[in-house]
Amino acid sequence: MIDHIPSLLIASQLLMATVAGLLLNLTPCVLPAIPIKVRTILREAGSQRSHRVLAALAFTAGTLAFFLTLGGLTAFLQWSWGTLFQSAVFVGILVALLVGFAVVTWLDLPIPIPSFAASAHGRRYSEAFLSGLLSAVLAAPCAGPFLGGVLAFAVTQPAPVTMGIFGSIGLGLSLPYAALILKPKWLSRLPKAGPWTLAIREVLALILLAAAVFFSASLVPKAVYPWLWWAWLALVLVWGLRRFVQGSGAVRVITATATGLALAVTVVFASLLGSGEDELVWQPYSAELLADTKARDTPYLLEFTADWCINCKVLERTVYKEPAVAEAVARAGMVPIQVDVTASDPEKDALLTATGGQALPFAAIFDADGTVVARFTGLFDTDSLVEAINRTENSQR
C-alpha cells in the first residue's frame, strides 16, 4: 500500500515533521521541560565521549518512545493529540513526575532507578532516557496545532508512514539537546560553576513545581487552583529573600529576575478570566445554545480549550482579554462560545473534528449563514482575530 504513495511526498513530509519537531522547542509547552533537559546535559558535561554518545542516544530514545507510541495509537486507534491529557490518571502521574523531578533537581539527587535497570548497567543512561521521555510528554500539548498539515497528512496514511512521521517529530524535538550532550564544550562560554549555578538549579526546580501546579488544574476544584499558585509564589518569595540576603552579584540578579517573573506568572494564572467590563465574556458550550444560535441566524465564535493546554491559556489571558476583541464581537452581534474539552466528551470531540480542528488551541468564526469565516490554530494575534470578526459584520450588510 505504501508503494502507491509517492516516495518524494513521504520524504518531504518526514523532513517537515523533523523541522516541526525542531521548532517545537520554541513553544511555551517546552518551558517546563527545559530544567529536565539542562539537568541531563550538565550531568554528562564531564563524561567520556563514549558515555556522552550513549546518553544522547538514550535521551533521543526516550523522546522517540513517546512519539512512536502516540503514532501507533493514532494509526491503530485513531487517537487525537489531546486524548492522553483528557485522562485524569495520566495527568495525575505527570504531576507526580514533575514534583519528583523538582525535588531531585533541588537536592541535586540522582533519579531513582529500578533495581532491574541498575543490575543491567542501565543506571547511567536511564536518567537520560526518562528525561527525553518526559520532555516529549510535556511538549505534546503544543505539537498538534504546530504541525498543521503534517499531522493532517499523517492520520490518513498507512500505519508505517504515520509512525515514521511521529518518529520524525520526536527526532527533531530531541536534536538540539542530544547535540549539546555530545558537544558540552558549546556551553564552555558560561562562567565557572559557583553560587550562581546553585541558584539556577533551584530556579529550575521551581519551574518544574510551577508546571505541576499548572497541570493540576483539571485535578483540583476550581476554587482551590488559584491558591496553589499563591502557595507556589509564597515559596518563591521565601526562597528569593533568603538567596538575595545571602548572595551577591549574579545570584542577586538571578533571584530578583526569578522572583519578578514568578509574581507575574502567578498574577496571570491565578486571576479569573472575563472579570473586566471591557473583556470578552464566554458562554459555556451546550448543544442547546449552539442550536439556538444557529436558529437565530446569529454569527458565533467557537473556542476549544482545556485546562492542560498551555497555549490556550496564553491566548485566553492575552488575545481574548483585549478590549478590541470584545468590541468587535459586540459590533458583529456575535455569540462567543467556549468549548471545554479538558475531559473526554464524545459530543465535544466530534464538534472539534467537524469544525475542522485537529488539536488545541483551535477557534473558528462563523457568519450568520453558518459558514466558516476563519479558523485559528496554535498561537495568533489580536489583529488577525479582530479582522476575521469584522468580516462577519461586513457580510451581514
Side-chain angles (χ1 to χ4, degrees), residues 3 14 48 158 324 379:
D3 293 338
L14 291 174
Q48 298 177 8
L379 297 174

Side-chain angles (χ1 to χ4, degrees), residues 58-354:
F59 182 90
T60 303
T63 305
L64 288 176
F66 174 78
F67 277 101
L68 288 175
T69 301
L70 191 57
L73 292 171
T74 300
F76 296 108
L77 300 180
Q78 298 301 304
W79 274 31
S80 65
W81 285 90
T83 302
L84 284 174
F85 287 84
Q86 288 178 331
S87 167
V89 173
F90 176 82
V91 175
I93 293 173
L94 177 60
V95 169
L97 285 173
L98 288 170
V99 172
F101 263 94
V103 171
V104 298
T105 299
W106 183 278
L107 300 177
D108 197 24
L109 300 173
I111 295 177
I113 301 299
S115 57
F116 73 87
S119 62
H121 306 290
R123 176 180 295 276
R124 180 182 186 90
Y125 308 110
S126 295
E127 179 169 336
F129 178 85
L130 292 173
S131 297
L133 178 62
L134 189 53
S135 298
V137 171
L138 291 170
C142 285
F146 191 73
L147 292 167
V150 174
L151 180 61
F153 174 83
V155 297
T156 63
Q157 301 306 310
V161 178
T162 301
M163 294 186 67
I165 289 176
F166 276 72
S168 297
I169 298 167
L171 181 63
L173 179 66
S174 66
L175 277 177
Y177 300 94
L180 285 175
I181 293 173
L182 289 172
K183 293 287 186 180
K185 289 184 178 179
W186 291 346
L187 301 176
S188 60
R189 294 184 180 181
L190 291 174
K192 291 184 178 180
W196 74 273
T197 55
L198 175 60
I200 288 292
R201 194 185 74 223
E202 292 171 346
V203 168
L204 296 178
L206 292 170
I207 291 175
L208 287 169
L209 279 180
V213 171
F214 176 84
F215 284 109
S216 69
S218 60
L219 304 176
V220 300
K222 291 191 179 296
V224 174
Y225 181 65
W227 291 104
L228 293 180
W229 279 110
W230 293 116
W232 174 77
L233 177 62
L235 176 64
V236 174
L237 292 177
V238 171
W239 164 83
L241 179 62
R242 174 172 168 268
R243 279 283 167 228
F244 193 85
V245 170
Q246 294 180 348
S248 60
V251 173
R252 288 189 172 182
V253 172
I254 293 170
T255 302
T257 303
T259 304
L261 290 174
L263 178 61
V265 167
T266 301
V267 169
V268 169
F269 283 102
S271 63
L272 297 176
L273 291 173
S275 57
E277 295 181 0
D278 56 352
E279 295 176 11
L280 187 64
V281 179
W282 294 101
Q283 296 191 37
Y285 165 81
S286 69
E288 294 75 16
L289 172 63
L290 185 57
D292 180 64
T293 301
K294 292 180 178 179
R296 291 186 287 108
D297 295 329
T298 303
Y300 58 97
L301 164 63
L302 278 183
E303 188 229 0
F304 293 84
T305 186
D307 289 340
W308 40 262
C309 175
I310 295 179
N311 281 354
C312 298
K313 300 310 174 187
V314 170
L315 289 170
E316 289 162 10
R317 286 162 170 78
T318 55
V319 173
Y320 289 121
K321 284 177 71 73
E322 288 292 329
V325 174
E327 293 170 3
V329 166
R331 283 197 310 269
M334 181 175 289
V335 179
I337 303 174
Q338 190 172 65
V339 188
D340 189 340
V341 293
T342 298
S344 180
D345 185 313
E347 179 184 317
K348 294 178 180 178
D349 293 343
L351 179 61
L352 173 63
T353 303

